[in-house]
Amino acid sequence: MSATLFDNAPWASAQPRLSVLIPFKGDDPRALIATLAREPAAVEIVLLDDGTGDSALSGALQALIADLPLPIRLVTLAVNEGRAKGRNRLVSHARAGHFLFLDSDMAPDSPDFLKTWLALIERTDPAVAFGGFSLDQVEPRRDQALHWAMAAHSDCLSAAERSLSPEKHVFTSNLLVRRDVFAAEGFDEGFAGWGWEDVEWGMRVARRWPIVHIDNTATHLGLDPASVIAAKYEQSAANFARVVAAHPDVVSAYPSYRAAKILRRVPLRGLWRPLIKAFALNALAPLPSRAFAMRLYRAALYAEAV
């Protein structure tokens, strides 16, 4: 697929130690770019507009990029490639020895966010490292309350907690990867839609290299309404089946897999599964019960794959 490139003036002569790779589709990454550009560092940024189709946003991005001292390249696609293929494409434009995959709806929690990553590279040259994410900068919204509760429970974990299952907590929201590691293990472009392509990548990589977890978090600003969470889980069922087929020994230890195996034996899933979803979407129900129902709904979807 052809791509349109826009480079600012510092791009041509830069010799970065770290390439920050940011894909987006529909989101506006200007606030994130402006935040990153405040840090003086040997860093370049590569942006991938994965088929947004918004000429006004593209023009505003180019105007911002042109005035920033950090070397930045904007890659614009007319048609969406998807999460795995898009990130592989980002790597093809990166020039540094380490890549930092950072989602466009993230906001660094520390003013020394990039400096911390560069210091880690200088100190230990890690194969893979995940910095974690938080909800510290999220403005509370009623329609996102379910996602906030679920993320706070299972995703916003310390480095010590994540290190207990290092391959499980590998997400492209804040992920450092050394060039030679990615050259050997890229993202599987057989994944489609939402979910699991980064975790599956972590499973493959963990067989060959250590995965380090540190506390250098960024806030996940892009929380979703409950209906969007449910739709993403529905999209992810086929991806989960792909992971189960490739890594049964690893996935079998996950609670989501064990729950799916139990629900697989329960008859009439087509009748009771929509009722669980309806309860999870009910804003008047208690939040802890809704969160449990949404996790149960995901397991019921995944029951078709185990």
Side-chain angles (χ1 to χ4, degrees):
M1 180 186 297
S2 61
T4 302
L5 305 182
F6 177 84
D7 301 338
N8 66 359
W11 177 269
S13 59
Q15 295 181 312
R17 292 164 52 209
L18 176 64
S19 297
V20 182
L21 309 180
I22 305 172
F24 69 96
K25 184 181 186 296
D27 295 325
D28 184 345
R30 282 179 292 174
L32 173 58
I33 298 166
T35 298
L36 296 175
R38 295 186 193 124
E39 292 195 56
V43 173
E44 69 178 7
I45 296 176
V46 186
L47 293 158
L48 176 70
D49 181 346
D50 198 3
T52 298
D54 185 337
S55 58
L57 175 59
S58 184
L61 267 172
Q62 291 182 22
L64 172 65
I65 291 167
D67 288 337
L68 291 176
L70 214 60
I72 304 176
R73 165 169 284 183
L74 170 63
V75 183
T76 303
L77 303 181
V79 179
N80 177 254
E81 284 191 330
R83 293 164 60 88
K85 192 171 184 179
R87 286 175 172 84
N88 287 343
R89 180 187 284 272
L90 274 167
V91 167
S92 72
H93 293 273
R95 299 174 295 185
H98 283 80
F99 314 136
L100 177 64
F101 291 97
L102 191 62
D103 283 350
S104 60
D105 58 0
M106 304 297 285
D109 290 328
S110 165
D112 295 325
F113 178 75
L114 293 178
K115 289 180 184 177
T116 299
W117 281 123
L118 286 164
L120 180 68
I121 293 168
E122 182 69 24
R123 190 168 62 249
T124 65
D125 190 30
V128 180
F130 182 64
F133 60 86
S134 76
L135 299 171
D136 292 352
Q137 301 178 65
V138 173
E139 293 290 336
R141 279 176 41 181
R142 182 180 178 85
D143 66 327
Q144 297 174 345
L146 180 62
H147 196 174
W148 196 100
M150 295 178 70
H153 176 264
S154 60
D155 295 332
C156 298
L157 304 176
S158 68
E161 292 172 302
R162 287 182 263 120
S163 296
L164 298 176
S165 300
E167 87 293 331
K168 182 179 180 181
H169 300 287
V170 171
F171 309 111
T172 49
S173 53
N174 185 12
L175 179 67
L176 184 78
V177 185
R178 200 170 62 210
R179 174 178 287 276
D180 63 297
V181 174
F182 200 87
E185 297 285 357
F187 290 111
D188 179 357
E189 297 181 4
F191 284 91
W194 182 86
W196 289 99
E197 78 286 339
D198 43 9
V199 178
E200 188 278 333
W201 179 88
M203 293 175 185
R204 277 186 281 125
V205 168
R207 300 182 191 277
R208 303 175 62 183
W209 294 276
I211 296 176
V212 174
H213 286 272
I214 69 168
D215 289 314
N216 187 29
T217 60
T219 291
H220 182 202
L221 298 173
L223 298 184
D224 293 318
S227 59
V228 176
I229 298 172
K232 286 183 173 180
Y233 285 164
E234 290 158 4
Q235 289 180 35
S236 74
N239 286 350
F240 181 72
R242 191 175 182 87
V243 176
V244 170
H247 307 278
D249 55 328
V250 180
V251 183
S252 61
Y254 289 5
S256 56
Y257 177 90
R258 294 198 296 267
K261 287 286 284 186
I262 293 170
L263 295 178
R264 176 79 176 179
R265 298 194 292 268
V266 180
L268 303 175
R269 284 190 300 278
L271 295 179
W272 53 261
R273 191 165 59 199
L275 300 178
I276 296 173
K277 177 181 178 180
F279 183 85
L281 298 183
N282 183 0
L284 299 178
L287 195 57
S289 300
R290 293 179 64 202
F292 175 78
M294 187 63 84
R295 289 192 292 269
L296 190 63
Y297 178 61
R298 178 181 59 188
L301 291 166
Y302 289 178
E304 311 300 330
V306 299

